[in-house]
Amino acid sequence: MTRLTFDNRFVSELPGDPDRSMQRRQVQRACWSAVRPTPVSAPVLLHQFGSWAGQLGDGRAITLGEVINAAGERWELQLKGAGATPYSRTADGRAVLRSSIREFLCSEAMHHLGVPTTRALSLVATGEPVMRDMFYDGNPRMEPGAVVCRVAPSFIRFGNFEILAARHELTLLATLVDFTIDRDFPHLVQDVADVTARRARWFAEVCERTATLMVEWMRVGFIHGVMNTDNMSVLGLTIDYGPYGWLDNFDPHWTPNTTDASGRRYRYAQQPAIAQWNLERLAAALRPLFEHDAPLQEGMDRYVDTFTGRYAAMIAAKFGLTGWGDGDEAVADSGLRLLQLAEVDYTNFFRALGALGDALPEDDAALVDALGDVFYDDLKRASHGAALAAWLARLAPARKSRWRARRAATQPMHAANPRYVLRNYLAQQAIDRAESGDPSGVHELLEVMRRPYDEQPGRETFAARRPDWARHKAGCSMLSCSS
């Protein structure tokens, strides 16, 4: 720690809470409060490594400081689960081991998938129990506690601006916007002299980064689960890993959040629209800083244009196309529809598609068999197998016309389609072992997820589709917000 260079600009340049008590309260006319992490009785380090990055929280996040590394990069270090703060409301500020492991593993898995994300530096078991009602059914139980240290260049989120606008603290709102630009978007300070124009450019860049993030989530089959505005980073990073999930069988209407099961607001296919809605809320918060709506509308237009273009390119890459030719988009749409009807594994299907050569079997059954173990329901496979084979035969000419050889097609397809993702049942198996005192499952799973696009011989079980026993098992499919 003595070799780390801290500059802590957020605390030194923005107004803090003058009240140093730990009383739960609404903090006004301030951007931060000083607190001390609550000591724990028996801390045990479960994992640590030297990559900087991070995350924010919901009243239980405590920033240790902002570090400038040898390369001049800024990384904010933050604890989650280290005790109550003035923002904790009625909560205890603690975190349980199961949710901490999930956050630790997923932030690292997303990084190695190439998805913009906050990261995790360390995971510590506290040795103290925490009471949680995991299923919200009136049956709470004691669970092992933990603290995650997470890192990111910035943990500033849409909600940081919304709360100031809602309280009509407009001078502080302008201060926070300009501080965020100066610290986290310094290229805009160099490029744009006019303050209003600079703020407009900043908002447009936030929109563009958010659009890029949504495309990446859709590419790898990730569902955040709680996309409220307080879980949206202005840097376009995946932040606050709660009841997230990964598509097993392709279902665009699936949500991993049990509390979202009825309305499915945060379902997989809805995520781009929710991101746009959240940006509209951010624009509304920023509106008092502009004379007209036009600069903010330009930013919203940037979101739509960026998402539309990058999503089309992403889908084309997943199907092995270098771009859209005549009729290709319709072929892709019908393919996705078949994946849903036949209950096909999203990750494994696209990986298998990349391995198919130009010389496809003429027999429908053999062609479907060539995809491997990607079906979750034998009856649906039988019902839709012929249609899927016909679709594969229809796709083949489009792929062949763009690639001169199978090798040329396979490499870019595998770069777009991971072999391994952090399926919920895999994380739950590691959690079960860790709660029994064996953290080796966490270490092993982390090692696999560090090379998600490689075949990794001997680790094929980590790429297997979700087993039937895990379909409805707690923690293996849907999850609650309880942590």
Side-chain angles (χ1 to χ4, degrees), residues 16 18 55 82 138 141 175 206 249-250 262 278-279 286 340 351 404 445:
Q55 224 163 356
R141 67 180 181 90
T175 298
V206 172
N249 56 292
F250 179 68
S262 58
N278 288 340
L279 286 166
L286 299 174
Q340 181 181 3
R351 192 71 177 194
R404 296 181 179 178
L445 192 51

Side-chain angles (χ1 to χ4, degrees), residues 4 54 151 208 213 228-229 265 327 330 346 391 419 424 472:
L4 297 179
V151 290
E208 183 174 343
L213 180 65
N228 55 48
T229 55
R265 174 178 173 81
Y346 180 78
W391 175 83
R419 173 69 164 148
N424 279 353
H472 300 298

Side-chain angles (χ1 to χ4, degrees), residues 20 164 173 238 257 291:
R20 292 300 193 258
L164 297 180
L173 173 65
T238 313
N257 187 348
E291 292 184 6

Side-chain angles (χ1 to χ4, degrees), residues 200 237 375 433:
L237 305 175
F375 295 90
R433 291 171 61 180

Side-chain angles (χ1 to χ4, degrees), residues 406-461:
R406 174 184 173 184
R407 179 185 178 95
T410 299
Q411 290 177 344
M413 285 192 71
H414 282 0
N417 298 307
R419 173 69 164 148
Y420 301 91
V421 295
L422 187 68
R423 298 173 188 265
N424 279 353
Y425 87 90
L426 293 174
Q428 188 60 46
Q429 288 177 321
I431 289 167
D432 291 341
R433 291 171 61 180
E435 288 183 335
S436 299
D438 176 15
S440 62
V442 175
H443 298 178
E444 184 179 21
L445 192 51
L446 180 62
E447 286 302 312
V448 173
M449 297 304 154
R450 280 176 171 161
R451 296 190 292 126
Y453 297 96
D454 297 344
E455 286 296 329
Q456 302 190 46
R459 288 175 164 170
E460 291 82 3
T461 56

